[in-house]
Amino acid sequence: MRSNNNSGCLTAFISSFSRIMLLMVWIARPVMMDATFSSFIIPCLGFMFLPFTTLMYVFLMQGVGAIQGLDWLWLLLAVVLDIASIGAAGVSNRNRIPAGYPGSYPQDPQQ
C-alpha cells in the first residue's frame, strides 16, 4: 500500500478552521465572548476540545441570551461536527498505531 504524504498546509488549515474562527471572534469581538461566558476557562476548554460547539454557542447566545427552539438543532449539529472531526483524525492516524494493538493494521498484507 502506497502512502501519499503530500497533504501540505491546506490540510492543516482545513482541520483547524473552527479553532481559527473561534480565535478570530475572540480577538475581534471580546465583548461577545464576555457576554456569553462568565469565566475564562470554559472558552479555553471549548477551544481545545469542542471548537465548533463553542463557536456555535457564542453565535446563538447573542440577541436573546438563551438557547430556544431550533437553536438546539444548530447546537446539536455543531456537536456532531466536533465528534466527526475527532473521529476522522483518529481514523486518518490509524496507521501510526503499533502492530498488535487493537485497531492497528496487520503487518502482513496477506492476513
Side-chain angles (χ1 to χ4, degrees):
M1 181 190 239
R2 196 173 88 169
S3 148
N4 185 5
N5 292 328
N6 297 327
S7 57
C9 293
L10 183 62
T11 303
F13 178 75
I14 297 293
S15 64
S16 63
F17 177 75
S18 59
R19 287 181 175 88
I20 292 170
M21 290 306 299
L22 184 61
L23 189 62
M24 295 308 266
V25 168
W26 206 337
I27 291 170
R29 305 281 184 201
V31 174
M32 185 187 297
M33 293 295 283
D34 291 341
T36 305
F37 300 108
S38 59
S39 70
F40 180 72
I41 191 76
I42 294 176
C44 286
L45 289 174
F47 180 81
M48 300 212 19
F49 298 112
L50 298 170
F52 280 117
T53 306
T54 307
L55 186 62
M56 186 61 69
Y57 185 74
V58 167
F59 288 141
L60 292 175
M61 287 297 287
Q62 302 309 307
V64 179
I67 304 293
Q68 305 172 7
L70 285 178
D71 293 346
W72 287 107
L73 179 67
W74 289 109
L75 203 60
L76 181 67
L77 180 65
V79 169
V80 168
L81 281 172
D82 278 327
I83 292 172
S85 68
I86 292 169
V91 169
S92 67
N93 290 322
R94 191 173 186 179
N95 60 348
R96 294 183 182 187
I97 300 173
Y101 284 97
S104 66
Y105 288 126
Q107 289 284 57
D108 187 18
Q110 269 50 6
Q111 290 180 349

XYZ file of all heavy atoms in Angstrom:
857
model
N 0.836 -1.167 0.000
C 0.000 0.000 0.000
C 0.888 1.239 0.000
O 1.778 1.372 0.825
C -0.902 -0.038 1.222
C -1.823 1.128 1.308
S -2.605 1.114 2.907
C -4.275 1.022 2.500
N 0.638 2.123 -0.925
C 1.447 3.326 -1.049
C 0.842 4.456 -0.229
O -0.362 4.645 -0.205
C 1.518 3.722 -2.517
C 2.625 4.704 -2.783
C 2.730 4.915 -4.241
N 1.802 5.997 -4.579
C 1.774 6.592 -5.745
N 2.560 6.165 -6.704
N 0.963 7.562 -5.977
N 1.673 5.202 0.416
C 1.219 6.305 1.250
C 1.569 7.630 0.582
O 2.658 7.817 0.077
C 1.878 6.180 2.613
O 2.100 7.403 3.197
N 0.619 8.546 0.585
C 0.830 9.864 -0.003
C 0.907 10.881 1.127
O -0.082 11.151 1.790
C -0.311 10.201 -0.964
C -0.080 11.507 -1.689
O 0.974 12.118 -1.541
N -1.048 11.920 -2.456
N 2.058 11.450 1.349
C 2.258 12.412 2.433
C 2.406 13.833 1.908
O 3.048 14.659 2.533
C 3.485 12.036 3.261
C 3.277 10.760 4.024
O 2.153 10.465 4.418
N 4.332 10.009 4.223
N 1.813 14.145 0.772
C 1.914 15.481 0.187
C 0.683 16.323 0.500
O 0.142 16.984 -0.370
C 2.087 15.370 -1.333
C 3.366 14.674 -1.700
O 4.352 14.797 -0.987
N 3.355 13.938 -2.787
N 0.217 16.290 1.734
C -1.011 16.997 2.072
C -0.799 18.500 2.219
O -1.665 19.283 1.880
C -1.617 16.420 3.335
O -0.692 16.479 4.381
N 0.325 18.921 2.745
C 0.651 20.335 2.795
C -0.104 21.135 3.829
O -0.739 20.615 4.735
N -0.032 22.444 3.647
C -0.611 23.382 4.611
C -2.124 23.471 4.519
O -2.768 23.850 5.485
C -0.023 24.768 4.395
S 1.712 24.865 4.790
N -2.698 23.124 3.378
C -4.149 23.223 3.223
C -4.857 22.276 4.188
O -5.875 22.642 4.776
C -4.544 22.922 1.781
C -6.019 23.071 1.465
C -6.452 24.523 1.690
C -6.305 22.653 0.051
N -4.339 21.096 4.380
C -4.942 20.148 5.309
C -4.889 20.683 6.737
O -5.857 20.562 7.488
C -4.219 18.793 5.230
O -4.283 18.331 3.893
C -4.833 17.783 6.156
N -3.799 21.275 7.108
C -3.684 21.849 8.453
C -4.663 23.000 8.645
O -5.280 23.139 9.701
C -2.260 22.323 8.701
N -4.845 23.814 7.613
C -5.785 24.926 7.714
C -7.215 24.417 7.802
O -8.000 24.911 8.614
C -5.631 25.866 6.514
C -6.610 27.000 6.532
C -6.438 28.055 7.395
C -7.719 26.998 5.706
C -7.337 29.098 7.442
C -8.626 28.024 5.730
C -8.441 29.081 6.602
N -7.572 23.452 6.988
C -8.934 22.913 6.999
C -9.240 22.255 8.335
O -10.321 22.444 8.893
C -9.127 21.897 5.845
C -8.966 22.572 4.488
C -10.460 21.180 5.939
C -10.024 23.561 4.138
N -8.300 21.505 8.864
C -8.544 20.806 10.126
C -8.632 21.763 11.314
O -9.278 21.458 12.307
C -7.464 19.764 10.377
O -6.224 20.400 10.542
N -7.996 22.910 11.222
C -8.035 23.861 12.335
C -8.916 25.075 12.034
O -8.827 26.079 12.738
C -6.620 24.313 12.669
O -6.071 24.998 11.562
N -9.780 24.980 11.036
C -10.625 26.104 10.645
C -11.505 26.589 11.797
O -11.621 27.794 12.025
C -11.502 25.715 9.447
C -12.455 26.784 9.031
C -11.995 27.893 8.341
C -13.799 26.697 9.334
C -12.871 28.888 7.957
C -14.675 27.685 8.947
C -14.214 28.785 8.260
N -12.130 25.671 12.525
C -13.023 26.083 13.610
C -12.257 26.784 14.726
O -12.745 27.756 15.301
C -13.766 24.873 14.161
O -12.850 23.917 14.638
N -11.058 26.325 15.011
C -10.258 26.979 16.049
C -9.799 28.360 15.599
O -9.775 29.301 16.393
C -9.071 26.093 16.408
C -9.474 24.892 17.200
C -8.289 24.027 17.573
N -8.700 22.940 18.430
C -9.122 21.769 17.998
N -9.182 21.529 16.703
N -9.484 20.832 18.848
N -9.449 28.489 14.329
C -9.048 29.801 13.808
C -10.220 30.773 13.870
O -10.064 31.923 14.291
C -8.511 29.665 12.370
C -7.182 28.904 12.372
C -8.345 31.023 11.718
C -6.698 28.513 10.993
N -11.411 30.316 13.476
C -12.582 31.191 13.518
C -12.944 31.577 14.950
O -13.305 32.731 15.217
C -13.777 30.511 12.834
C -13.622 30.383 11.341
S -13.267 31.951 10.505
C -14.706 32.888 10.912
N -12.857 30.632 15.873
C -13.148 30.944 17.276
C -12.153 31.955 17.823
O -12.534 32.901 18.524
C -13.130 29.663 18.110
C -13.499 29.808 19.581
C -14.907 30.345 19.737
C -13.357 28.473 20.278
N -10.896 31.803 17.473
C -9.875 32.755 17.907
C -10.116 34.141 17.297
O -9.955 35.158 17.984
C -8.495 32.222 17.535
C -7.299 32.972 18.103
C -7.316 32.925 19.622
C -6.016 32.385 17.569
N -10.516 34.189 16.031
C -10.793 35.479 15.388
C -11.996 36.179 16.035
O -11.974 37.401 16.217
C -11.045 35.285 13.889
C -9.823 34.774 13.162
S -8.367 35.758 13.481
C -8.441 36.858 12.119
N -13.030 35.419 16.371
C -14.178 36.017 17.069
C -13.744 36.526 18.432
O -14.151 37.605 18.867
C -15.333 34.997 17.193
C -16.395 35.477 18.158
C -15.936 34.724 15.833
N -12.909 35.761 19.108
C -12.442 36.151 20.437
C -11.615 37.435 20.374
O -11.727 38.303 21.232
C -11.602 35.028 21.016
C -11.553 34.982 22.508
C -11.771 35.996 23.376
C -11.256 33.845 23.293
N -11.623 35.555 24.662
C -11.315 34.237 24.639
C -10.943 32.525 22.996
C -11.071 33.364 25.685
C -10.709 31.659 24.040
C -10.773 32.079 25.367
N -10.801 37.587 19.340
C -9.980 38.790 19.198
C -10.812 39.970 18.697
O -10.695 41.092 19.205
C -8.791 38.509 18.249
C -7.810 37.550 18.915
C -8.090 39.799 17.845
C -6.736 37.022 17.988
N -11.666 39.730 17.701
C -12.423 40.819 17.077
C -13.581 41.301 17.945
O -13.894 42.492 17.943
C -12.950 40.373 15.719
N -14.242 40.397 18.642
C -15.404 40.746 19.454
C -15.263 40.221 20.880
O -15.978 39.310 21.291
C -16.671 40.159 18.835
C -16.914 40.531 17.419
C -17.473 41.898 17.319
N -17.782 42.169 15.911
C -17.912 43.374 15.445
N -17.793 44.396 16.236
N -18.175 43.561 14.180
N -14.374 40.794 21.675
C -14.216 40.289 23.041
C -15.456 40.518 23.901
O -15.713 39.750 24.833
C -13.011 41.053 23.576
C -12.876 42.249 22.717
C -13.443 41.877 21.384
N -16.241 41.535 23.585
C -17.462 41.791 24.347
C -18.466 40.653 24.134
O -19.167 40.245 25.054
C -18.076 43.152 23.933
C -19.406 43.384 24.601
C -17.106 44.271 24.239
N -18.508 40.110 22.912
C -19.394 38.988 22.607
C -19.004 37.757 23.433
O -19.871 37.063 23.972
C -19.328 38.668 21.112
C -20.292 37.603 20.656
S -20.087 37.086 18.930
C -20.452 38.560 18.033
N -17.718 37.512 23.540
C -17.262 36.366 24.332
C -17.517 36.597 25.819
O -17.913 35.668 26.531
C -15.776 36.122 24.087
C -15.443 35.671 22.690
S -16.104 34.077 22.247
C -14.989 33.007 23.099
N -17.306 37.826 26.297
C -17.551 38.134 27.706
C -19.031 38.032 28.053
O -19.387 37.648 29.167
C -17.026 39.524 28.050
C -15.515 39.596 28.026
O -14.875 38.518 28.108
O -14.972 40.708 27.902
N -19.905 38.409 27.098
C -21.343 38.314 27.340
C -21.813 36.862 27.360
O -22.785 36.532 28.039
C -22.108 39.092 26.278
N -21.126 36.012 26.634
C -21.528 34.600 26.563
C -20.995 33.806 27.740
O -21.721 33.012 28.332
C -21.023 33.977 25.248
O -21.502 34.752 24.154
C -21.504 32.565 25.101
N -19.738 33.992 28.079
C -19.105 33.199 29.139
C -18.722 34.107 30.297
O -18.240 35.205 30.111
C -17.845 32.502 28.615
C -18.119 31.566 27.465
C -17.725 31.892 26.185
C -18.771 30.370 27.678
C -17.966 31.039 25.130
C -19.023 29.507 26.636
C -18.618 29.844 25.352
N -18.898 33.603 31.514
C -18.557 34.402 32.685
C -17.123 34.177 33.142
O -16.589 34.982 33.890
C -19.524 34.082 33.828
O -19.446 32.711 34.145
N -16.512 33.077 32.710
C -15.138 32.804 33.116
C -14.258 32.590 31.887
O -14.738 32.495 30.773
C -15.082 31.572 34.022
O -15.368 30.420 33.280
N -12.976 32.482 32.133
C -12.008 32.316 31.062
C -11.781 30.841 30.720
O -11.410 30.504 29.602
C -10.691 32.969 31.505
C -9.590 32.876 30.503
C -9.637 33.643 29.351
C -8.522 32.027 30.700
C -8.626 33.570 28.412
C -7.502 31.943 29.773
C -7.558 32.724 28.630
N -12.043 29.952 31.666
C -11.697 28.543 31.495
C -12.622 27.816 30.520
O -12.168 26.975 29.739
C -11.650 27.826 32.867
C -11.038 26.434 32.739
C -13.021 27.712 33.474
C -9.560 26.463 32.599
N -13.905 28.128 30.500
C -14.841 27.421 29.619
C -14.548 27.683 28.142
O -14.514 26.733 27.355
C -16.299 27.752 30.003
C -16.577 27.174 31.386
C -17.274 27.194 28.980
C -17.914 27.494 31.948
N -14.311 28.932 27.714
C -13.946 29.094 26.300
C -12.602 28.462 25.944
O -12.418 27.992 24.822
C -13.917 30.599 26.079
C -14.215 31.243 27.343
C -14.537 30.214 28.356
N -11.677 28.411 26.893
C -10.390 27.745 26.620
C -10.575 26.245 26.445
O -9.984 25.643 25.541
C -9.406 28.014 27.744
S -8.762 29.678 27.722
N -11.399 25.625 27.284
C -11.694 24.206 27.125
C -12.452 23.947 25.828
O -12.205 22.954 25.146
C -12.494 23.692 28.318
C -11.742 23.584 29.632
C -12.697 23.213 30.760
C -10.611 22.590 29.525
N -13.356 24.850 25.482
C -14.073 24.730 24.217
C -13.152 24.869 23.025
O -13.320 24.188 22.013
N -12.169 25.740 23.132
C -11.188 25.910 22.059
C -10.394 24.632 21.847
O -10.090 24.260 20.712
C -10.244 27.068 22.407
C -9.192 27.330 21.378
C -9.493 28.072 20.248
C -7.912 26.837 21.525
C -8.526 28.319 19.289
C -6.937 27.081 20.575
C -7.244 27.820 19.454
N -10.086 23.925 22.926
C -9.258 22.724 22.815
C -10.052 21.498 22.403
O -9.573 20.705 21.596
C -8.548 22.459 24.139
C -7.672 23.602 24.508
S -6.192 23.324 25.412
C -5.752 21.689 25.283
N -11.264 21.316 22.933
C -11.969 20.053 22.753
C -13.184 20.143 21.820
O -13.424 19.206 21.060
C -12.414 19.495 24.110
C -11.261 19.205 25.018
C -11.062 19.948 26.161
C -10.367 18.200 24.716
C -9.999 19.683 26.996
C -9.293 17.926 25.546
C -9.106 18.674 26.692
N -13.972 21.193 21.886
C -15.197 21.313 21.086
C -15.274 22.693 20.419
O -16.128 23.520 20.764
C -16.429 21.093 21.964
C -16.565 19.733 22.620
C -17.687 19.744 23.629
C -16.793 18.659 21.588
N -14.422 22.972 19.442
C -14.400 24.322 18.875
C -15.657 24.693 18.081
O -16.133 25.823 18.170
C -13.156 24.330 17.992
C -12.880 22.908 17.709
C -13.369 22.136 18.883
N -16.224 23.755 17.294
C -17.447 24.063 16.548
C -18.595 24.373 17.504
O -19.354 25.319 17.295
C -17.862 22.882 15.651
C -17.104 22.776 14.374
C -16.315 21.676 14.122
C -17.190 23.761 13.406
C -15.614 21.565 12.948
C -16.492 23.657 12.226
C -15.702 22.549 11.995
N -18.721 23.581 18.542
C -19.797 23.776 19.508
C -19.639 25.104 20.241
O -20.616 25.828 20.441
C -19.809 22.611 20.511
O -19.888 21.388 19.790
C -20.976 22.709 21.454
N -18.434 25.439 20.633
C -18.198 26.704 21.329
C -18.507 27.888 20.427
O -19.157 28.853 20.853
C -16.738 26.776 21.813
O -16.448 25.609 22.578
C -16.498 28.006 22.652
N -18.077 27.820 19.184
C -18.342 28.907 18.236
C -19.841 29.056 17.984
O -20.372 30.175 17.982
C -17.600 28.630 16.928
C -17.630 29.717 15.873
C -16.975 30.989 16.397
C -16.920 29.231 14.624
N -20.537 27.951 17.800
C -21.987 28.000 17.572
C -22.705 28.527 18.810
O -23.651 29.313 18.695
C -22.501 26.615 17.202
C -23.950 26.592 16.808
S -24.315 27.595 15.362
C -23.510 26.662 14.095
N -22.262 28.138 19.987
C -22.880 28.615 21.225
C -22.710 30.126 21.370
O -23.636 30.819 21.781
C -22.258 27.881 22.420
C -22.907 28.204 23.736
C -24.148 27.692 24.058
C -22.272 29.027 24.665
C -24.748 27.994 25.259
C -22.854 29.330 25.868
C -24.100 28.811 26.162
O -24.698 29.113 27.362
N -21.543 30.636 21.008
C -21.314 32.085 21.080
C -22.266 32.817 20.149
O -22.877 33.825 20.525
C -19.842 32.419 20.750
C -19.651 33.902 20.512
C -18.935 31.946 21.854
N -22.437 32.319 18.931
C -23.338 32.967 17.979
C -24.799 32.857 18.403
O -25.577 33.796 18.220
C -23.167 32.388 16.583
C -21.894 32.794 15.912
C -21.175 31.890 15.146
C -21.385 34.081 16.042
C -20.001 32.252 14.532
C -20.206 34.452 15.439
C -19.511 33.538 14.681
N -25.186 31.727 18.982
C -26.582 31.532 19.370
C -26.966 32.318 20.619
O -28.137 32.657 20.792
C -26.861 30.048 19.593
C -26.827 29.171 18.346
C -27.001 27.714 18.733
C -27.878 29.599 17.339
N -26.025 32.601 21.481
C -26.340 33.318 22.713
C -26.502 34.824 22.506
O -26.956 35.517 23.404
C -25.261 33.071 23.772
C -25.319 31.691 24.374
S -26.836 31.379 25.269
C -26.575 32.363 26.717
N -26.140 35.328 21.357
C -26.280 36.765 21.087
C -27.740 37.099 20.812
O -28.465 36.325 20.219
C -25.409 37.172 19.903
C -23.955 36.857 20.089
C -23.396 37.366 21.404
O -23.529 38.526 21.735
N -22.772 36.480 22.139
N -28.163 38.256 21.233
C -29.540 38.679 20.992
C -30.452 38.258 22.123
O -30.651 38.983 23.085
N -31.019 37.070 22.033
C -31.990 36.593 23.018
C -31.318 36.288 24.348
O -31.874 36.543 25.408
C -32.730 35.343 22.472
C -33.716 34.815 23.478
C -33.408 35.661 21.168
N -30.133 35.717 24.313
C -29.410 35.389 25.537
C -29.743 34.029 26.093
O -29.379 33.718 27.220
N -30.443 33.216 25.311
C -30.779 31.864 25.744
C -30.900 30.963 24.512
O -31.109 31.442 23.406
C -32.088 31.852 26.518
N -30.768 29.676 24.730
C -30.931 28.703 23.658
C -32.393 28.267 23.649
O -32.889 27.746 24.634
C -30.013 27.481 23.881
C -28.564 27.898 24.030
C -30.180 26.472 22.771
C -27.941 28.461 22.797
N -33.088 28.510 22.521
C -34.507 28.201 22.418
C -34.812 27.603 21.051
O -34.149 27.920 20.071
C -35.357 29.460 22.543
C -35.125 30.277 23.756
C -35.869 31.598 23.686
O -36.645 31.820 22.767
N -35.625 32.458 24.643
N -35.837 26.762 20.999
C -36.369 26.265 19.737
C -35.347 25.581 18.855
O -34.694 24.620 19.241
N -35.201 26.084 17.615
C -34.294 25.488 16.635
C -32.821 25.723 16.955
O -31.953 25.128 16.303
C -34.599 26.020 15.235
C -35.860 25.459 14.582
C -36.073 26.101 13.233
C -35.788 23.964 14.452
N -32.541 26.566 17.935
C -31.147 26.763 18.346
C -30.529 25.454 18.833
O -29.347 25.220 18.650
C -31.055 27.815 19.448
C -31.436 29.197 18.963
O -31.511 29.395 17.738
O -31.652 30.080 19.814
N -31.363 24.607 19.451
C -30.860 23.319 19.921
C -30.412 22.437 18.756
O -29.456 21.673 18.884
C -31.917 22.598 20.747
C -32.103 23.226 22.086
C -33.152 23.980 22.493
C -31.192 23.172 23.188
N -32.962 24.404 23.784
C -31.771 23.921 24.232
C -29.972 22.577 23.396
C -31.147 24.068 25.472
C -29.346 22.720 24.618
C -29.934 23.459 25.642
N -31.107 22.548 17.632
C -30.713 21.775 16.452
C -29.341 22.213 15.942
O -28.495 21.377 15.603
C -31.757 21.938 15.345
C -31.468 21.210 14.042
C -31.536 19.710 14.242
C -32.428 21.658 12.968
N -29.104 23.522 15.887
C -27.803 24.038 15.445
C -26.695 23.625 16.403
O -25.589 23.289 15.975
C -27.841 25.557 15.309
C -28.653 26.000 14.151
C -29.873 26.608 14.190
C -28.319 25.860 12.766
N -30.311 26.839 12.916
C -29.381 26.400 12.024
C -27.240 25.314 12.089
C -29.379 26.418 10.641
C -27.236 25.331 10.705
C -28.295 25.878 9.997
N -27.000 23.655 17.688
C -26.006 23.251 18.679
C -25.702 21.751 18.575
O -24.544 21.345 18.668
C -26.498 23.609 20.082
C -25.438 23.773 21.150
C -24.470 24.873 20.768
C -26.078 24.086 22.471
N -26.729 20.943 18.348
C -26.533 19.512 18.160
C -25.716 19.234 16.895
O -24.843 18.356 16.894
C -27.878 18.793 18.091
C -27.816 17.288 17.914
C -27.223 16.634 19.142
C -29.179 16.738 17.611
N -25.968 19.984 15.832
C -25.190 19.834 14.601
C -23.717 20.164 14.845
O -22.829 19.485 14.332
C -25.752 20.732 13.500
C -25.043 20.686 12.164
C -25.182 19.320 11.527
C -25.582 21.762 11.260
N -23.448 21.180 15.640
C -22.066 21.544 15.964
C -21.392 20.442 16.779
O -20.215 20.135 16.556
C -22.034 22.865 16.723
N -22.107 19.821 17.705
C -21.548 18.714 18.486
C -21.222 17.542 17.566
O -20.156 16.922 17.681
C -22.519 18.285 19.609
C -22.083 16.987 20.260
C -22.646 19.376 20.652
N -22.119 17.250 16.620
C -21.874 16.157 15.668
C -20.645 16.467 14.816
O -19.816 15.582 14.547
C -23.126 15.908 14.802
C -22.822 15.000 13.629
C -24.239 15.332 15.645
N -20.465 17.713 14.384
C -19.284 18.091 13.611
C -18.004 17.922 14.429
O -16.978 17.474 13.901
C -19.403 19.534 13.122
C -20.276 19.760 11.906
C -20.452 21.247 11.653
C -19.680 19.099 10.699
N -18.056 18.289 15.696
C -16.879 18.111 16.553
C -16.537 16.637 16.722
O -15.374 16.245 16.608
C -17.112 18.738 17.931
C -16.872 20.228 17.929
O -15.999 20.680 17.172
O -17.554 20.927 18.690
N -17.534 15.818 16.974
C -17.292 14.384 17.144
C -16.784 13.769 15.841
O -15.869 12.935 15.844
C -18.567 13.682 17.654
C -18.859 14.133 19.080
C -18.430 12.162 17.581
C -20.179 13.676 19.618
N -17.340 14.210 14.706
C -16.886 13.702 13.411
C -15.443 14.105 13.123
O -14.669 13.314 12.579
C -17.812 14.203 12.304
N -15.064 15.316 13.478
C -13.684 15.740 13.227
C -12.696 14.990 14.119
O -11.599 14.642 13.683
C -13.542 17.248 13.406
O -13.714 17.610 14.751
N -13.088 14.703 15.356
C -12.227 13.913 16.242
C -12.113 12.487 15.727
O -11.022 11.909 15.680
C -12.770 13.947 17.686
C -12.621 15.344 18.274
C -12.053 12.921 18.561
C -13.361 15.547 19.569
N -13.223 11.904 15.287
C -13.200 10.551 14.748
C -12.399 10.457 13.461
O -11.672 9.486 13.238
N -12.518 11.454 12.597
C -11.760 11.453 11.345
C -10.264 11.553 11.607
O -9.461 10.924 10.902
C -12.218 12.597 10.455
N -9.885 12.321 12.609
C -8.462 12.413 12.951
C -7.948 11.077 13.461
O -6.832 10.666 13.141
C -8.241 13.497 13.998
N -8.767 10.376 14.229
C -8.352 9.062 14.721
C -8.214 8.042 13.604
O -7.268 7.254 13.571
N -9.145 8.052 12.668
C -9.081 7.105 11.558
C -7.912 7.417 10.635
O -7.234 6.516 10.148
C -10.419 7.110 10.781
C -10.304 6.352 9.478
C -11.517 6.512 11.635
N -7.652 8.691 10.385
C -6.560 9.030 9.474
C -5.188 8.738 10.070
O -4.231 8.532 9.342
C -6.641 10.505 9.069
O -6.378 11.328 10.180
N -5.088 8.678 11.389
C -3.808 8.356 12.043
C -3.745 6.912 12.512
O -2.880 6.558 13.305
C -3.575 9.286 13.238
C -3.283 10.689 12.801
O -2.605 10.898 11.805
N -3.802 11.650 13.541
N -4.630 6.084 12.007
C -4.694 4.700 12.453
C -3.434 3.916 12.096
O -3.059 2.994 12.795
C -5.903 4.035 11.822
C -6.227 2.706 12.386
C -7.518 2.206 11.835
N -7.878 0.975 12.502
C -8.961 0.315 12.252
N -9.803 0.768 11.361
N -9.228 -0.780 12.887
N -2.780 4.279 11.014
C -1.578 3.544 10.615
C -0.396 3.828 11.537
O 0.631 3.184 11.420
C -1.207 3.867 9.169
C -0.919 5.337 8.965
O -1.204 6.157 9.828
N -0.383 5.679 7.810
N -0.512 4.755 12.458
C 0.570 5.047 13.403
C 0.514 4.176 14.648
O 1.435 4.200 15.455
C 0.514 6.512 13.825
C 0.809 7.450 12.689
C 0.813 8.863 13.173
N 1.056 9.767 12.064
C 1.248 11.053 12.191
N 1.210 11.606 13.386
N 1.454 11.800 11.143
N -0.564 3.405 14.811
C -0.682 2.509 15.957
C 0.251 1.330 15.731
O 0.224 0.717 14.665
C -2.138 2.017 16.120
C -3.089 3.190 16.336
C -2.247 1.027 17.270
C -4.555 2.794 16.342
N 1.079 0.981 16.713
C 1.984 -0.167 16.529
C 1.201 -1.462 16.313
O 0.107 -1.642 16.851
C 2.764 -0.220 17.840
C 2.608 1.117 18.450
C 1.299 1.657 17.977
N 1.761 -2.358 15.528
C 1.114 -3.633 15.230
C 0.911 -4.430 16.507
O 1.740 -4.425 17.407
C 1.953 -4.429 14.245
N -0.211 -5.107 16.582
C -0.521 -5.913 17.752
C -1.509 -5.266 18.693
O -2.145 -5.943 19.490
N -1.684 -3.957 18.626
C -2.651 -3.272 19.460
C -4.022 -3.312 18.784
O -4.118 -3.351 17.564
C -2.247 -1.812 19.681
C -1.120 -1.642 20.666
C 0.187 -1.500 20.232
C -1.367 -1.633 22.023
C 1.225 -1.356 21.120
C -0.342 -1.479 22.929
C 0.957 -1.341 22.471
O 1.976 -1.197 23.364
N -5.100 -3.285 19.570
C -6.437 -3.290 18.958
C -6.626 -2.069 18.060
O -6.301 -0.953 18.436
C -7.384 -3.238 20.153
C -6.579 -3.691 21.318
C -5.151 -3.337 21.020
N -7.130 -2.306 16.857
C -7.376 -1.225 15.915
C -6.238 -0.972 14.957
O -6.342 -0.141 14.070
N -5.124 -1.678 15.120
C -3.986 -1.454 14.234
C -4.146 -2.274 12.960
O -4.886 -3.253 12.916
C -2.679 -1.833 14.931
O -2.647 -3.218 15.182
N -3.442 -1.864 11.940
C -3.416 -2.616 10.693
C -2.441 -3.772 10.842
O -1.416 -3.651 11.500
C -2.961 -1.733 9.533
C -3.968 -0.715 9.104
C -3.635 0.617 9.030
C -5.266 -1.084 8.782
C -4.543 1.567 8.632
C -6.190 -0.145 8.382
C -5.829 1.181 8.297
O -6.737 2.098 7.910
N -2.706 -4.905 10.201
C -1.749 -6.006 10.276
C -0.480 -5.676 9.511
O -0.509 -4.922 8.545
C -2.500 -7.181 9.644
C -3.580 -6.565 8.835
C -3.911 -5.248 9.475
N 0.619 -6.270 9.938
C 1.909 -6.034 9.283
C 1.932 -6.659 7.904
O 2.433 -6.072 6.957
C 3.042 -6.633 10.135
C 3.295 -5.873 11.404
C 4.047 -4.582 11.134
O 3.628 -3.736 10.372
N 5.202 -4.461 11.769
N 1.432 -7.876 7.768
C 1.486 -8.601 6.508
C 0.207 -8.332 5.724
O -0.892 -8.572 6.234
C 1.646 -10.095 6.800
C 1.886 -10.889 5.534
O 2.257 -10.289 4.525
O 1.712 -12.125 5.588
N 0.280 -7.839 4.488
C -0.934 -7.548 3.723
C -1.740 -8.788 3.369
O -2.895 -8.684 3.011
C -0.423 -6.856 2.463
C 1.031 -6.750 2.574
C 1.487 -7.419 3.806
N -1.152 -10.019 3.488
C -1.857 -11.244 3.156
C -2.824 -11.665 4.272
O -3.658 -12.525 4.064
C -0.873 -12.404 2.927
C -0.382 -12.622 1.516
C 0.130 -11.352 0.861
O 0.230 -10.359 1.452
N 0.464 -11.393 -0.404
N -2.718 -11.107 5.443
C -3.570 -11.504 6.574
C -4.962 -10.988 6.430
O -5.282 -9.980 6.019
C -2.980 -11.021 7.892
C -1.730 -11.760 8.248
C -1.162 -11.256 9.569
O -1.582 -10.249 10.112
N -0.197 -11.985 10.081
